[in-house]
Amino acid sequence: MIPEERTDDPGSGEESARLQPAGSVREGCDPLAQTLRGRLQSRRAQVHQQINKELRMRTGAENLYRATSNAWVRETVALELSYVNSSLQLLKEELEELNGSAEVDRPAGEGVSVPMIPLGLKETKELDWSTPLRELISGHFGEDSASYEAEIRELEDLRQAIRTPSRGEAGLELLMAYYNQLCFLDARFIAPTRNLGLLFQWYDSLTGVPAQQRALAFEKGSVLFNIGALYTQIGARQDRSCPEGTRRAIEAFQRAAGAFSLLRENFSRAPSPDMSPASLSMLERLMTAQAQECIFEGLLLPSTEAPQGCLAQLRLAQEAAQVAAEYRLVHQTMAQPPVRDYVPFPWTTLVRVKAEYFRALAHYHAAAVLCDSPSAAEVDCPALSQAFLGLPATPGPPGAAPQEQEGRRMLERVPTRSHAGKAHLKRAILGQEEALRLHAVCRALRSVDLLQAVLAQALRRSLARYSELDREDDFLEATEAPDIPPKTQQKPEIRAPSFSRVKVTDIFHRLGPLSVFSAKNCWRLVGPVHVTRGEAGFGLTLRGDAPVLIAAVIPGGPAAAAGLREGDYIVSLNGRPCKWWKHAEVVAQLKGVGDEGASLQVVTLLPRAEPPSTGEHRPALGALLRGQKECGRGPPAPGRASPRPLLGWSRKAKRGKTRGRLSPHP
């Protein structure tokens, strides 16, 4: 569904007070971009522009190389191409470092936690809406386009503001408000056989390569992508050392995953790599894994409700194994073509580091169960220890000895709890050392002191624990610790952004209700016609709100004599626009007129097959509705906008079906 329309009358010919004053800065916009993330985004925009320039130079050089047969020119062009390719490679590496800057969005708290992976926003150029909108308003809607200058300027200012949203809830609301306005624009100005004629250009968030399309769906999809990217930045900045910050981080990553999931379900032919199904699937899994990591971090916080002792350590071991499994799945997705060709190398490395780190953490908590739990814990959770930690089952009831000597030797070789704990600690140490090695391989990650501190602290803790156990006299051979089966009691939910909480009013509200006054409909304006009151009234029946429909006309009555027909919509009464009036208001005005009668202007919807400027016959209501059905349209809703398809590039569109448009509510 598109956002709900207002049914109050905004007035005629006057600029509504809801319009933003010219030259003012919108709430949620950060045009100066003075924050660290803002400066990083500005540098990304500069790199995007440089990449675009180098690509144009390379295209021109390649065309010249193919067109010329002069050996000296071809040699010069080849040298220039090698220089351009080198510049592009350097710009690509710089963009990868900017995309992988985890230090920028480090949590606000002072606690030590693993950094998250935020996503940079897509950049775009300025856009001139005025020319196509003026043509539509004057040509199709029959209105004076000069009277809509304030509305067009409001739309342009709103789009300019979403290019630099602030990194917070206000920035999210700004992006959602523009997205909702795009839904209104799509419903009012876009016809199945015609677009606005605008060229929307957005830069790829991962590669910096520009992509262009004339479909408004590309604009909507890019804004939705930026909403998901902004959620990732908000989640990465939360202080996860407290329960409230952890909850907000989980919510932000779940919303980001929901935004990317909506894009993946509705876009099949995206013109840029970051919006391809493979990339969106990778981003969705990455945000789900980061939400799972925040859930695990929430379990580490002190709480009176959390289980203690053996059960608590077992749950931590399983939850850490679940996080490791999620990141291994993300890494497998990143390693598949074509994602591996443009995903930043610091992302791939950090995902591998996290997979090793949390798998090692699972073994550490498993060792804590075996080494720290008192002997009474064996009675409390023997089945759990056997199932999840690999301890052997007790060979018979207490006091029963094996009958054969081989059975006695087998019982003597049963490892103790401390011995099994050492095996898990050994795997934890190996995993943490591997995580540190991977961290040292990536130049971008080496500069992230916070990540190195977390890994080094975990390794020191495991080594200290292992050295304590190693002092004990233990002549049993070392056993191989089994893997910890992943399990979680709180799986992340993929939640779509809540567009419905951002209330907006259609900027072009004065054009009339969308159910009638849109580019998908054709109509004929009739009047003004003068209708006098007869003995039985005006001789017509009215129905519906905004606009009011003439449902029936009595043959031979005053309305029929004036030329009114069934199916006409009343748009003006005694010179006052009444497109948004309710049924009761129109009836009250008609009852209040005297013997002089009323002056009405009406519009009649025309079937698509009939040109709006030909023919004098106007069909009755039944014939009008039948003609609409034959043309693929149902009867227009009198009060509210009808359900809208979300994005024009659906998979089903190839088969001639209409996809449902993304609704601005979850």
Side-chain angles (χ1 to χ4, degrees), residues 219-378:
E219 178 86 352
K220 294 172 65 177
S222 299
V223 174
L224 185 56
F225 183 94
N226 275 0
I227 291 174
L230 191 52
Y231 268 121
T232 67
Q233 297 179 16
I234 292 174
R237 295 180 57 203
Q238 297 301 317
D239 179 12
R240 306 194 301 276
S241 62
C242 63
E244 181 62 21
T246 302
R247 184 194 64 79
R248 290 178 179 176
I250 295 172
E251 175 70 13
F253 288 124
Q254 289 180 153
R255 294 289 186 182
F260 298 136
S261 177
L262 285 175
L263 280 174
R264 181 176 55 83
E265 292 171 359
N266 290 278
F267 279 73
S268 59
R269 293 178 295 163
S272 58
D274 58 354
M275 293 170 61
S276 65
S279 294
L280 294 173
S281 178
M282 180 271 294
L283 292 174
E284 179 184 345
R285 290 179 177 176
L286 175 61
M287 299 311 141
T288 303
Q290 295 192 136
Q292 191 72 62
E293 179 181 351
C294 294
I295 291 173
F296 172 77
E297 291 177 338
L299 297 176
L300 297 177
L301 299 177
S303 174
T304 57
E305 301 177 358
Q308 304 296 326
C310 173
L311 292 177
Q313 294 295 333
L314 280 173
R315 181 181 177 184
L316 289 176
Q318 295 168 351
E319 293 283 353
Q322 179 69 33
V323 177
E326 294 285 349
Y327 277 116
R328 285 197 297 271
L329 182 61
V330 174
H331 182 261
Q332 292 174 5
T333 307
M334 288 181 172
Q336 297 296 323
V339 178
R340 68 183 180 189
D341 298 330
Y342 46 78
V343 70
F345 179 69
W347 286 17
T348 308
T349 306
L350 183 56
V351 166
R352 288 187 63 191
V353 168
K354 288 192 174 188
E356 293 293 338
Y357 169 73
F358 283 102
R359 182 166 59 178
L361 205 56
H363 285 289
Y364 178 84
H365 288 291
V369 175
L370 295 169
C371 301
D372 293 348
S373 300
S375 58
E378 297 180 6

Side-chain angles (χ1 to χ4, degrees), residues 511-534:
L511 287 173
L514 285 170
S515 58
V516 176
F517 301 98
S518 72
K520 298 174 180 61
N521 296 329
C522 294
W523 60 86
R524 180 191 296 113
L525 179 64
V526 179
V529 296
H530 189 75
V531 185
T532 59
R533 184 192 300 273

Side-chain angles (χ1 to χ4, degrees), residues 98-290:
L98 294 174
N99 288 332
S101 298
E103 189 73 12
V104 174
D105 290 293
R106 62 181 303 170
E110 298 180 356
V112 179
S113 56
V114 181
M116 297 293 182
I117 298 178
L119 186 61
L121 303 182
K122 293 172 70 72
E123 299 286 344
T124 184
K125 288 186 174 182
E126 293 185 7
L127 191 64
D128 181 17
W129 293 89
S130 58
T131 302
L133 291 182
R134 286 196 193 102
E135 293 177 355
L136 273 172
I137 291 172
S138 60
H140 186 84
F141 292 87
E143 301 271 355
D144 181 14
S145 60
S147 64
Y148 286 87
E149 290 296 329
E151 282 84 353
I152 295 175
R153 185 171 61 251
E154 166 79 357
L155 178 62
E156 291 179 340
D157 291 345
L158 179 58
R159 190 183 190 275
Q160 181 67 19
I162 62 103
R163 296 179 62 190
T164 54
S166 60
R167 270 60 180 175
E169 291 296 326
L172 282 173
E173 292 181 0
L174 181 65
L175 287 171
M176 291 182 184
Y178 180 63
Y179 182 86
N180 288 345
Q181 291 294 343
L182 290 177
C183 291
F184 280 125
L185 289 173
D186 199 359
R188 188 178 297 280
F189 294 112
I190 304 300
T193 59
R194 180 181 60 201
N195 56 44
L196 286 174
L198 289 170
L199 189 63
F200 302 100
Q201 177 171 321
W202 290 80
Y203 291 90
D204 190 279
S205 176
L206 301 177
T207 65
V209 177
Q212 304 178 55
Q213 248 191 14
R214 296 190 181 276
L216 187 64
F218 181 45
E219 178 86 352
K220 294 172 65 177
S222 299
V223 174
L224 185 56
F225 183 94
N226 275 0
I227 291 174
L230 191 52
Y231 268 121
T232 67
Q233 297 179 16
I234 292 174
R237 295 180 57 203
Q238 297 301 317
D239 179 12
R240 306 194 301 276
S241 62
C242 63
E244 181 62 21
T246 302
R247 184 194 64 79
R248 290 178 179 176
I250 295 172
E251 175 70 13
F253 288 124
Q254 289 180 153
R255 294 289 186 182
F260 298 136
S261 177
L262 285 175
L263 280 174
R264 181 176 55 83
E265 292 171 359
N266 290 278
F267 279 73
S268 59
R269 293 178 295 163
S272 58
D274 58 354
M275 293 170 61
S276 65
S279 294
L280 294 173
S281 178
M282 180 271 294
L283 292 174
E284 179 184 345
R285 290 179 177 176
L286 175 61
M287 299 311 141
T288 303
Q290 295 192 136

Side-chain angles (χ1 to χ4, degrees), residues 7-9 513 538 540-552 568-571 573 577-592 600 638-640:
T7 57
D8 56 311
D9 182 16
F538 289 100
L540 52 80
T541 302
L542 303 182
R543 188 183 68 193
D545 298 326
V548 175
L549 173 71
I550 299 177
D568 289 348
Y569 289 96
I570 302 176
V571 297
L573 177 57
C578 60
K579 294 176 181 178
W580 289 98
W581 286 13
K582 295 182 179 296
H583 177 272
E585 296 177 83
V586 176
V587 171
Q589 289 292 326
L590 289 175
K591 286 183 177 180
L600 299 179
R640 293 193 178 184

